[in-house]
Amino acid sequence: MARLPKLAVFDLDYTLWPFWVDTHVEPPFHKSSDEIVRDRRGQTIRLYPEVPEILERLRDLGVLVAAASRTGEIEGATQLLELFDLGRHFVHQEIYPGSKVTHFERLQLKTGIPFSQMIFFDDENRNIVDVSKLGVTCIYVQNGMSLQTLTQGLETFAKVSKAGP
Ligand SMILES: [Mg+2]
């Protein structure tokens, strides 16, 4: 059985959904009776399609999930997580501007999980560079999260932790 991380952390913009919540869409958001999430202008808002299944798979594997976003649109991002019914999957949501080193230091304090037992998915190289230095296994996301990216990430984690002490 491959070694699994204890915590999987996800960026939001261009990792879980295909837009920047602070510029491309307009809060507040709402869900109509047709179950579709829309912004203030009526523009339809979607996740990358495999995101709900990705979070369910991690739950089934017993891996905790958290969010780390540096957006300034904290309220809108939090609202979207609830409207998409994702909030229940996240043990912590660290959403505020600045280097993600802060987000991870707080996650480490709140969960007690060491950085070496975390995996992080993000579409921006600057975040990958910063968080890698902490000892977190970082996975660069292209074209949004998919089940394939999750599987490859978990394989990378298993290899890295096997090679470690
Ligand atoms: Mg992003």
Side-chain angles (χ1 to χ4, degrees):
M1 173 84 191
R3 272 203 243 182
L4 287 167
K6 289 197 165 66
L7 180 69
V9 184
F10 292 93
D11 167 53
L12 299 178
D13 295 349
Y14 288 100
T15 295
L16 296 191
W17 50 57
F19 50 86
W20 282 323
V21 69
D22 67 347
T23 42
H24 296 156
V25 294
E26 220 170 289
F29 306 99
H30 60 277
K31 188 152 66 176
S32 332
S33 50
D34 56 10
E35 289 295 300
I36 291 176
V37 176
R38 292 185 175 86
D39 74 354
R40 199 174 66 81
R41 290 172 297 179
Q43 185 183 191
T44 300
I45 312 287
R46 293 184 203 283
L47 297 168
Y48 287 114
E50 292 176 350
V51 164
E53 208 179 327
I54 287 164
L55 298 181
E56 274 155 32
R57 187 167 295 183
L58 287 167
R59 182 196 58 202
D60 293 346
L61 289 169
V63 178
L64 297 178
V65 172
S69 167
R70 52 196 296 171
T71 187
E73 184 47 61
I74 298 166
E75 211 173 309
T78 308
Q79 196 195 7
L80 278 185
L81 290 175
E82 289 309 315
L83 288 175
F84 285 123
D85 200 24
L86 301 183
R88 63 196 167 97
H89 288 284
F90 293 86
V91 290
H92 296 289
Q93 299 174 13
E94 300 294 324
I95 305 176
Y96 37 82
S99 163
K100 287 200 182 177
V101 168
T102 309
H103 300 62
F104 275 81
E105 282 172 345
R106 290 190 187 160
L107 283 172
Q108 198 269 320
L109 275 175
K110 288 177 178 177
T111 61
I113 296 171
F115 293 129
S116 62
Q117 296 299 311
M118 297 182 189
I119 188 169
F120 174 45
F121 295 91
D122 197 298
D123 69 299
E124 278 191 72
N125 199 49
R126 60 175 178 171
N127 297 327
I128 299 281
V129 168
D130 286 352
V131 176
S132 292
K133 287 178 191 155
L134 298 172
V136 174
T137 299
C138 294
I139 308 296
Y140 181 67
V141 176
Q142 275 174 306
N143 307 315
M145 270 311 292
S146 62
L147 286 162
Q148 194 190 0
T149 303
L150 175 68
T151 303
Q152 286 168 351
L154 293 177
E155 283 169 7
T156 301
F157 180 89
K159 266 185 227 152
V160 169
S161 53
K162 207 176 188 177

